[in-house]
Amino acid sequence: MAAVVGRRGLVSLPSWSNRLIFFRNLATTSIKRSEAPATAEFYTDEHKELQRSLKKLIDSEINPHVDQWEAEGQFPAHEVFGKLGKAGFLGVCKPEEYGGLGLDYSYSMAMSEALGTINCGAIPMAVAVQTDMSTPALARFGSNYLKEEFLAPSISGEKVSCLGVSEPGAGSDVASIQTTAKRDGDDLIINGQKMWITNAWQADWICLLANTSQGPAHLNKSLICVPMNSPGIHLTKRIDKMGMRSSDTAQIFFEDVRVPAKNIIGDEGMGFTYQMLQFQEERLAGAVLTIPPMDTCIQSTIAYTKERKAFGQPLLNNQCIHFRLAELETEIECLRSLIYRATDLYVAGEDVTKLASMAKLKAGRLAREVTDSCLQFWGGMGFTNEVLVSRFFRDMRLVSIGGGADEVMLMIICKYMDTLPRLPRKK
Amino acid sequence: MSLRVLVGCKRVIDYAVKIRVRPDKMGVVTDGVKHSMNPFDEIAIEEAVRLKEKKIAKEVIAVSCGPTQAQETIRTALAMGADRGIHVEIPAKEMEKLEPLHVSKILAKLAEKEGAELLIVGKQAIDDDSNATAQMTAALLEWPQATFASKIEKTDGTLLVVREVDGGLETIKVKLPAVVSADLRLNEPRYATLPNIMKAKKKKIVKMKPADLGVDTTAHFEVVEVCDPPSREAGIKVEDVDALVSKLKEAGRI
């Protein structure tokens, strides 16, 4: 309760005694209750201004070109990231010394929610890779040299990054990746393959997870910043996907790629842990990114079924349609509340692994339900590539798979519920 | 000579929204509808901020007349670079009856009170298309006016303004203090960058009522009816110019 209420006040307070914080919260409780409109506002004026400005940028610089980029199979990452970076949107939570704004995670969530107004799933996903997947560990644990070389240009939008974790043989099972980075003097020699890498074809550097020593699978990996123009890096196929079509996805081969050992982020052997730490943020972001497309699907379906007539009346007059849309709207609202609550707790310093995993799980599944039902109501038109609903149907399907598959989310939740079967430990 | 610039910005229904007439036919639906800053006012704010960046202006004050939500518009102006804001509170119900003359009187009083040397507003608001506020404010202040500005340059104690007029472009010189109204091609407004959005948090917005400025907002007009324009009828194609002329004659148009 204390963490949720008066959230902004709590964040900006220095750490005084708990009692003082408690009384402050009581005071802000009453103010907030009387001021708060029926739809309790999660975002402050600054959050909303951020969203307003970002939506303006999206409406004039991004959305007019999305159809073309989807058809071409690639959006111009350097151009788009350059524009976002210049306006300050790529460094919302990043340290100020490297060009970021040092704001709390609620601002990143506000940004992600606004990003969701882009008319495809590919571009928000690509941006999220840059802001929430390849740079958080670097920002937290990287050396000054690494932050100047890789973080600062990623915040300014000059450099495009990608995250190299998944492999052909290891997606959900991160601990069993095979890519190695063996020590050779002051350098590391990298050998292996990565798969499903978003932004790879356009990236300037990759945040690579590799095995850097022998030992237990959770303690022998490191995150390494590797320039993509290093000799020995080969991109083979541009993966042809059913959705997220304007996002370039690659399989990358590393053949004796040499990189200085000082490119290891933080401590050697801590790579797995660092990556785990940012999963809460990655999953919350992944969940909130689905909300605007779902809203768009519902609203556009209402507009369409109001106009479209069958058997003498608008389709929307059929109870099966307006009731179903009401059900879906209710579920979206529930998901929104879960996401906002988890964000509040996270900003207040709590561990929200369980809630974030639930949010990601629900988002992936709800997005499939919403896009599927809406597509049905669009009828023949919904099946064409001329409408947004079919693009979101394809794009949103990935949410249940990437960034932590539904099954992994379920495993995490079961862990918290203490219902996972205990396997006999191998000696 | 560094100018203090006052800029008027109005909160209007967003240009992309499909406008719907209210069932009582006395106005349009505004509840729950997306609003934003009048696009021509955005251009006005952008110009003022650019003048400040060129060191021609020393302070930019953003003014908005409207209900509580008008503060959002002022905040956008602050995020774009205005230094402080003034919110003249007009309750939502009265907003419908607020006329350009009322706003002109308010702006004129504020210009005097704040010691402004330049007043910039958008040429017209996209909800009522009056195109009257700038002109009437200038008349009340007895200041020169440069309307439909597509370029502003400062030369000593005067402004060189290029105006977009029906026949083309007209360049005039106006003495300061002056009123300028911004036209579409004056500039392209910036996106408020995130650092500026956060800086805007610390900037002040002062609230006041029209009565505090001695302005009476009694309506001079009465809305009789608001309705949709008649739906467009289908056209017909004709074979040649002769057929066109005879059709026009038949319809009594020529």
Side-chain angles (χ1 to χ4, degrees):
Chain A
M1 177 72 162
V4 176
V5 159
R7 55 192 170 264
R8 305 288 160 246
L10 190 58
V11 168
S12 55
L13 283 178
S15 44
W16 295 345
S17 73
N18 286 336
R19 185 174 294 179
L20 209 52
I21 294 172
F22 176 66
F23 281 121
R24 273 246 176 169
N25 285 338
L26 277 186
T28 52
T29 312
S30 45
I31 294 169
K32 285 223 175 322
R33 287 253 167 80
S34 57
E35 269 182 9
T39 58
E41 300 265 27
F42 173 70
Y43 292 127
T44 66
D45 288 322
E46 282 74 46
H47 293 93
K48 287 191 244 171
E49 194 57 46
L50 184 164
Q51 292 183 319
R52 233 190 310 263
S53 195
L54 180 53
K55 279 185 198 167
K56 211 166 133 191
L57 201 161
I58 291 170
D59 282 336
S60 58
E61 310 273 357
I62 300 179
N63 272 343
H65 309 290
V66 166
D67 286 350
Q68 178 202 337
W69 293 337
E70 282 275 302
E72 288 171 359
Q74 184 168 293
F75 82 100
H78 281 92
E79 199 187 296
V80 174
F81 284 17
K83 291 188 175 134
L84 291 170
K86 215 161 138 221
F89 292 117
L90 295 180
V92 177
C93 302
K94 300 294 192 294
E96 287 177 75
E97 316 105 90
Y98 299 96
L101 278 130
L103 296 166
D104 71 54
Y105 197 67
S106 67
Y107 287 91
S108 187
M109 292 295 279
M111 191 194 94
S112 296
E113 204 176 323
L115 271 184
T117 59
I118 297 177
N119 288 340
C120 68
I123 299 171
M125 177 175 77
V127 176
V129 164
Q130 178 108 338
T131 58
D132 287 292
M133 294 183 216
S134 57
T135 50
L138 173 58
R140 260 218 200 99
F141 303 106
S143 65
N144 207 26
Y145 151 72
L146 284 180
K147 287 197 251 202
E148 276 176 14
E149 183 69 26
F150 298 102
L151 182 63
S154 299
I155 291 174
S156 70
E158 274 171 66
K159 290 210 170 140
V160 172
S161 66
C162 60
L163 179 68
V165 173
S166 296
E167 297 183 358
S172 294
D173 187 8
V174 177
S176 66
I177 57 163
Q178 299 290 305
T179 302
T180 54
K182 294 203 172 91
R183 197 74 192 220
D184 180 40
D186 286 332
D187 294 337
L188 296 165
I189 310 282
I190 302 169
N191 276 287
Q193 308 170 37
K194 291 293 176 186
M195 183 67 156
W196 311 120
I197 310 305
T198 301
N199 296 344
W201 284 94
Q202 302 183 74
D204 298 292
W205 66 279
I206 179 168
C207 180
L208 184 78
L209 186 69
N211 296 303
T212 44
S213 56
Q214 311 288 7
H218 299 82
L219 297 170
N220 74 335
K221 297 172 171 55
S222 306
L223 282 173
I224 311 162
C225 297
V226 182
M228 285 297 279
N229 61 0
S230 307
I233 297 185
H234 306 289
L235 270 67
T236 51
K237 43 192 322 192
R238 191 180 285 260
I239 303 172
D240 184 14
K241 313 177 300 292
M242 83 177 232
M244 304 290 198
R245 289 187 68 78
S246 49
S247 164
D248 45 304
T249 320
Q251 182 170 9
I252 312 178
F253 287 88
F254 294 84
E255 277 176 53
D256 292 330
V257 178
R258 186 174 282 269
V259 90
K262 63 179 175 167
N263 281 25
I264 292 180
I265 296 173
D267 295 326
E268 192 267 311
M270 288 296 284
F272 190 84
T273 310
Y274 293 157
Q275 205 58 27
M276 292 291 132
L277 280 175
Q278 69 187 47
F279 275 165
Q280 293 178 84
E281 292 183 11
E282 193 179 310
R283 272 137 207 195
L284 283 174
V288 86
L289 277 174
T290 64
I291 304 260
M294 289 197 282
D295 277 339
T296 303
C297 283
I298 303 264
Q299 290 307 312
S300 65
T301 305
I302 292 173
Y304 178 75
T305 52
K306 243 189 213 163
E307 297 294 322
R308 175 73 181 175
K309 293 199 172 58
F311 307 109
Q313 56 169 354
L315 277 184
L316 190 59
N317 284 7
N318 290 287
Q319 205 175 69
C320 67
I321 295 184
H322 56 259
F323 268 24
R324 178 65 180 139
L325 291 174
E327 281 174 359
L328 294 171
E329 178 103 331
T330 306
E331 299 242 13
I332 296 173
E333 213 47 54
C334 289
L335 175 60
R336 203 196 300 267
S337 291
L338 173 60
I339 294 171
Y340 290 169
R341 183 174 142 229
T343 304
D344 265 347
L345 289 167
Y346 182 69
V347 167
E350 304 283 328
D351 174 56
V352 293
T353 307
K354 186 182 180 194
L355 289 180
S357 306
M358 288 172 154
K360 166 79 174 41
L361 173 71
K362 185 63 184 172
R365 291 186 168 180
L366 185 58
R368 286 149 73 182
E369 280 186 66
V370 170
T371 51
D372 184 66
S373 293
C374 288
L375 197 149
Q376 180 67 18
F377 299 149
W378 276 77
M381 280 309 294
F383 201 65
T384 70
N385 285 326
E386 293 170 28
V387 297
L388 262 187
V389 71
S390 57
R391 182 182 292 157
F392 282 140
F393 177 83
R394 292 181 286 109
D395 287 352
M396 294 293 113
R397 186 59 185 82
L398 182 62
V399 183
S400 278
I401 299 171
D406 281 1
E407 289 74 14
V408 174
M409 298 301 108
L410 287 163
M411 277 201 313
I412 295 171
I413 299 166
C414 284
K415 230 184 248 175
Y416 278 85
M417 293 171 71
D418 203 19
T419 52
L420 277 185
R422 275 157 236 275
L423 295 164
R425 288 215 146 243
K426 294 196 187 97
K427 290 281 191 271
Chain B
M1 183 205 188
S2 227
L3 305 171
R4 178 171 285 122
V5 185
L6 192 66
V7 187
C9 45
K10 186 179 181 186
R11 177 178 177 263
V12 297
I13 296 180
D14 187 82
Y15 77 93
V17 169
K18 187 160 187 274
I19 307 289
R20 269 180 307 191
V21 176
R22 275 203 327 244
D24 66 2
K25 289 199 147 196
M26 291 298 282
V28 298
V29 176
T30 53
D31 274 343
V33 169
K34 183 173 179 210
H35 284 68
S36 38
M37 193 193 294
N38 182 39
F40 294 110
D41 296 338
E42 269 182 3
I43 296 172
I45 299 268
E46 173 66 25
E47 195 63 21
V49 173
R50 287 190 190 186
L51 287 173
K52 202 172 85 158
E53 286 167 350
K54 288 189 216 156
K55 307 254 196 279
I56 295 170
K58 62 172 181 255
E59 195 188 20
V60 176
I61 309 165
V63 183
S64 192
C65 304
T68 323
Q69 297 97 314
Q71 289 194 32
E72 284 168 23
T73 306
I74 299 175
R75 248 177 267 280
T76 305
L78 295 174
M80 284 172 74
D83 297 294
R84 55 186 169 93
I86 300 175
H87 173 209
V88 181
E89 290 179 283
I90 314 267
K93 269 273 105 193
E94 278 178 41
M95 223 18 217
E96 296 166 18
K97 306 201 207 84
L98 193 69
E99 296 156 16
L101 183 56
H102 300 142
V103 178
S104 300
K105 286 181 178 169
I106 291 170
L107 290 179
K109 275 274 150 50
L110 282 172
E112 279 170 352
K113 191 163 168 278
E114 297 290 337
E117 292 140 303
L118 178 58
L119 173 67
I120 315 181
V121 291
K123 71 171 179 181
Q124 64 200 59
I126 60 171
D127 51 7
D128 60 10
D129 282 336
S130 293
N131 182 8
T133 305
Q135 293 87 336
M136 288 198 284
T137 313
L140 288 167
L141 286 166
E142 294 195 348
W143 287 6
Q145 58 183 257
T147 52
F148 316 117
S150 66
K151 191 158 179 225
I152 303 176
E153 267 169 45
K154 185 158 178 295
T155 53
D156 289 332
T158 66
L159 286 180
L160 204 66
V161 180
V162 178
R163 305 178 59 225
E164 299 217 0
V165 296
D166 286 345
L169 297 172
E170 180 192 53
T171 309
I172 60 170
K173 212 188 255 190
V174 284
K175 292 203 192 103
L176 290 164
V179 175
V180 174
S181 80
D183 208 326
L184 188 64
R185 281 161 278 270
L186 180 58
N187 61 49
E188 194 157 332
R190 62 194 62 193
Y191 308 113
T193 64
L194 198 44
N196 285 339
I197 292 172
M198 298 316 293
K199 275 189 216 148
K201 201 173 162 177
K202 301 194 189 86
K203 296 181 184 173
K204 281 195 148 78
I205 301 178
V206 167
K207 280 199 280 211
M208 58 183 73
K209 298 195 174 55
D212 299 336
L213 298 165
V215 174
D216 175 17
T217 54
T218 317
H220 302 111
F221 297 113
E222 184 200 322
V223 171
V224 173
E225 193 200 6
V226 175
C227 59
D228 282 302
S231 48
R232 205 176 153 174
E233 284 164 25
I236 50 167
K237 272 195 177 147
V238 291
E239 286 281 305
D240 52 30
V241 178
D242 288 333
L244 173 62
V245 171
S246 66
K247 281 265 177 219
L248 286 172
K249 279 196 176 140
E250 269 173 42
R253 300 289 195 222
I254 51 169

